[in-house]
Every structure is written in structure tokens, then in C-alpha cells.
Amino acid sequence: MDARNFTFMFYGFLAAWLIVLVYIVTLARRSGRLRKELEDVKQLFEDKQAAPKAR
């Protein structure tokens, strides 16, 4: 194989790994935001349940 082929292969694998890394970071950030939003909803629900019912 030509050395140039290894260079292209290296850059191809590098690009693939960078795409995978960006995807994983994006999923982690979304997961964190969803977890925080779920905690906020739980807190609102608990506050609503604990508040005395006014009629």
C-alpha cells in the first residue's frame, strides 16, 4: 500500500471518531437537560401537592 493511502485512512478514521465524539457529547448534554427538567417538574408537582387547597 502507498503511504498516501494510510494518510487518507488515518484522516477518515479521525473524522469518524470526531463525529462519534460530538454525537456522544450532544447526547450527554441533552440527557443532562432532560434530567434537570424532570427534577423541575417533580418539584412543581410536590409543591402543588403540598400546597393547601383553597376553595
Side-chain angles (χ1 to χ4, degrees):
M1 287 184 81
D2 189 4
R4 195 174 73 184
N5 290 341
F6 285 115
T7 302
F8 287 133
M9 186 176 71
F10 171 76
Y11 286 127
F13 280 127
L14 179 64
W17 278 109
L18 286 175
I19 290 168
V20 169
L21 180 65
V22 168
Y23 181 66
I24 290 172
V25 168
T26 302
L27 287 178
R29 290 182 66 203
R30 285 183 185 180
S31 174
R33 285 194 303 251
L34 284 173
R35 188 173 291 119
K36 183 184 179 327
E37 189 172 339
L38 181 59
E39 287 298 322
D40 292 344
V41 169
K42 284 181 183 178
Q43 187 63 42
L44 285 172
F45 183 74
E46 290 172 1
D47 292 346
K48 183 78 169 173
Q49 294 294 322
K53 294 183 179 181
R55 291 187 181 223

